[in-house]
């Protein structure tokens, strides 16, 4: 528990202090946001706002995580970083690097499009594939690896889908959620606030799995075969603290945007937590807002290709409401409420199997 608090506090402090420094640095170098011409007209006022703020989130998260473990080690308690925690951080950092390249090309070439779609997808696929291979390795003393070849909901379900099937599933899931957070990142504070709620849920989930681990409380009917539940809660707390610190400056009106650097990294970290806590399908509920916004894009594109008609004024969904006359802050707060309801529903389902049965 102490590691969770230390990681969250350190990353929060670093993000709160580091973000205004990044704002000044990026503004001085001209690292400002370019705006799509076809986007809502109200966004033109945001042109030139410093972007790539996701670098602060990634760096603060990494420092918070490693400082927490360093404090523990220096306190004469052996608690080194775990395979599960390091793999989730690798996924976050790797996808953040892909996003950073995308953001930098946008800035360097002064356009709203960065990496070509094929190159961007290729980077996401490569990082996802490496994670898929490594997450099946590193067994602990109980032969439990960070993940196994099963689809999971509240825990692993059904038969194994095999190595190839699992790798395809991992890559699809990671690319899907990293792009989902990226699509959600269209209004000030929307993606960062919604991600904070999901990360808070994973702090609770990791802590609960620790208290009911099959390796510590015995092989009860509801115990969890999760390799490193405490360290996954530490990872979630570190990224949560960094996100909260960033949100202070990203809330409407935003002084800085996270860019693809932040959105891809945050999508990666919650996907990684879903695999290592064995709650993959539960994330679809916890991150319901991301799923809804992604579905709005799929519906819009599918409808236009099939019927040449649009369902929404503009996709993703948040821009439909902008063009319908809603104020940006109204959309953000109401979407945060939807995200909170999704997290509450997901946590309710997670704890449901522990409710006394009459």
């Amino acid at each position: 528990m102490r590691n969770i608090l230390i990681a969250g506090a350190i990353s929060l402090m670093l993000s709160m202090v580091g973000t205004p420094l990044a704002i000044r640095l990026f503004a001085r170098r001209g690292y400002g946001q370019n705006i799509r011409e076809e986007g809502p007209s109200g966004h033109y006022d945001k042109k030139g706002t410093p972007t790539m703020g996701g670098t602060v989130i990634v760096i603060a998260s990494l420092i918070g995580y490693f400082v927490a473990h360093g404090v523990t080690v220096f306190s004469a308690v052996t608690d080194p970083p775990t395979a599960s925690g390091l793999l989730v951080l690798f996924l976050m950092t790797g996808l953040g690097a892909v996003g950073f390249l995308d953001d930098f090309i946008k800035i360097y070439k002064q356009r709203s499009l960065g990496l070509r779609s094929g190159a961007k997808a290729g980077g996401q696929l490569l990082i996802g594939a490496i994670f898929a291979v490594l997450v099946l390795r590193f067994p602990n003393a109980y032969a439990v690896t960070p993940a196994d070849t099963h689809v999971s909901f509240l825990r692993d379900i059904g038969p194994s889908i095999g190595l190839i099937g699992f790798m395809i599933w991992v890559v699809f899931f990671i690319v899907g959620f990293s792009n989902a957070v990226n699509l959600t990142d269209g209004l000030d504070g929307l993606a960062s606030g919604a991600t904070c709620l999901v990360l808070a849920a994973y702090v609770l989930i990791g802590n609960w799995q620790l208290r009911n681990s099959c390796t510590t409380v015995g092989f009860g009917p509801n115990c969890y075969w999760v390799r490193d539940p405490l360290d996954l809660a530490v990872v979630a707390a570190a990224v949560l603290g960094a996100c909260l610190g960033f949100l202070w400056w990203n809330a409407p009106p935003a002084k800085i945007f996270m860019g693809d650097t932040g959105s891809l990294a945050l999508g990666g970290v919650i996907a990684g937590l879903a695999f290592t806590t064995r709650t993959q399908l539960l994330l679809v509920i916890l991150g319901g807002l991301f799923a809804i916004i992604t579905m709005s894009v799929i519906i819009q594109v599918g409808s236009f290709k099939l019927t040449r008609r649009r369902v929404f004024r503009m996709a993703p969904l948040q821009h439909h409401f902008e063009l319908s006359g809603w104020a940006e802050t109204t959309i953000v707060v109401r979407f945060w409420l939807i995200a909170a309801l999704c997290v509450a529903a997901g946590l309710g389902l997670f704890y449901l199997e522990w409710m006394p049965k009459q």
Side-chain angles (χ1 to χ4, degrees), residues 183 291-303 312 315-317:
L183 290 171
I292 291 168
I293 288 175
T294 302
M295 283 303 301
S296 73
V297 175
I298 294 172
I299 291 169
Q300 183 85 325
V301 173
S303 175
F312 307 104
L317 187 61

Side-chain angles (χ1 to χ4, degrees), residues 161-185:
I161 59 176
L163 177 60
I164 301 301
F166 178 76
M167 290 188 65
I168 294 172
W169 170 236
V170 171
V171 171
F172 170 79
F173 197 89
I174 288 171
V175 172
F177 260 96
S178 59
N179 285 330
V181 177
N182 184 242
L183 290 171
T184 305
D185 184 32

Side-chain angles (χ1 to χ4, degrees), residues 309-358:
R309 301 177 71 176
R310 292 180 172 86
V311 176
F312 307 104
R313 293 173 183 262
M314 186 177 181
L317 187 61
Q318 61 268 30
H319 298 318
H320 167 80
F321 290 107
E322 273 193 289
L323 295 178
S324 298
W326 288 24
E328 181 172 357
T329 51
T330 300
I331 299 170
V332 170
V333 172
R334 288 178 178 172
F335 275 39
W336 280 351
L337 292 174
I338 294 171
L341 289 172
C342 291
V343 167
L347 287 175
L349 286 172
F350 180 76
Y351 289 114
L352 188 61
E353 66 179 350
W354 291 90
M355 296 292 290
K357 296 178 176 60
Q358 299 297 330

Side-chain angles (χ1 to χ4, degrees), residues 175-244:
V175 172
F177 260 96
S178 59
N179 285 330
V181 177
N182 184 242
L183 290 171
T184 305
D185 184 32
L187 299 180
D188 298 352
L190 179 57
S192 50
T195 305
C196 284
L197 294 168
V198 177
L199 290 167
Y202 273 111
V203 173
L204 297 175
I205 287 171
N207 191 51
W208 184 260
Q209 289 178 334
L210 171 69
R211 295 175 183 275
N212 297 278
S213 172
C214 296
T215 62
T216 57
V217 301
F219 305 152
N222 290 332
C223 69
Y224 298 100
W225 286 105
V226 175
R227 189 188 190 280
D228 307 297
L230 174 60
D231 206 38
L232 294 172
V234 173
V235 170
V239 185
L240 172 60
C243 269
L244 287 172

Side-chain angles (χ1 to χ4, degrees), residues 236-292:
V239 185
L240 172 60
C243 269
L244 287 172
F246 177 79
L247 181 59
W248 181 269
W249 303 99
N250 182 236
K255 300 295 189 297
I256 188 171
F257 300 139
M258 69 169 69
D260 284 13
T261 308
S263 59
L264 295 186
L266 293 178
V269 77
I270 61 174
L273 288 168
F275 276 100
T276 48
T277 58
R278 312 201 180 196
T279 56
Q280 299 151 26
L281 297 180
L282 183 64
L283 179 57
V284 179
I285 299 173
L286 291 170
L289 178 65
F290 303 128
I292 291 168

Side-chain angles (χ1 to χ4, degrees), residues 8-173:
I10 293 294
S11 60
L12 172 63
M13 179 185 67
L14 290 174
S15 185
M16 283 284 291
V17 174
T19 302
L21 296 177
I23 292 171
R24 289 196 288 271
L25 174 63
F26 294 161
R28 190 181 310 123
R29 292 181 173 273
Y31 292 172
Q33 179 73 32
N34 290 293
I35 305 298
R36 291 187 304 164
E37 293 182 1
E38 65 273 19
S41 58
H43 287 208
Y44 293 136
D45 293 338
K46 301 180 182 184
K47 186 174 182 179
T49 301
T51 187
M52 294 197 302
T55 53
V56 178
I57 297 175
V58 173
I59 292 171
S61 300
L62 294 173
I63 294 175
Y65 174 82
F66 286 109
V67 166
H69 281 287
V71 168
T72 304
V73 170
F74 290 130
S75 301
V77 178
T78 303
D79 188 17
T82 66
S84 299
L86 292 175
L87 284 171
V88 174
L89 291 174
F90 159 77
L91 185 60
M92 177 186 72
T93 307
L95 290 175
V98 174
F100 181 86
L101 287 174
D102 188 54
D103 287 333
F104 188 79
I105 290 171
K106 290 176 188 176
I107 293 166
Y108 182 75
K109 296 194 174 182
Q110 290 295 298
R111 64 188 192 192
S112 60
L113 296 175
L115 283 172
R116 295 183 182 275
S117 58
K120 187 174 180 180
Q124 292 173 290
L125 290 170
L126 176 62
I127 299 300
I130 294 172
F131 177 83
V133 171
L134 295 178
V135 83
L136 297 175
R137 299 177 181 272
F138 311 108
N140 64 5
Y142 297 89
V144 180
T145 51
D148 62 23
T149 56
H150 288 78
V151 176
S152 61
F153 180 44
L154 305 180
R155 58 184 75 247
D156 289 344
I157 55 176
S160 167
I161 59 176
L163 177 60
I164 301 301
F166 178 76
M167 290 188 65
I168 294 172
W169 170 236
V170 171
V171 171
F172 170 79
F173 197 89

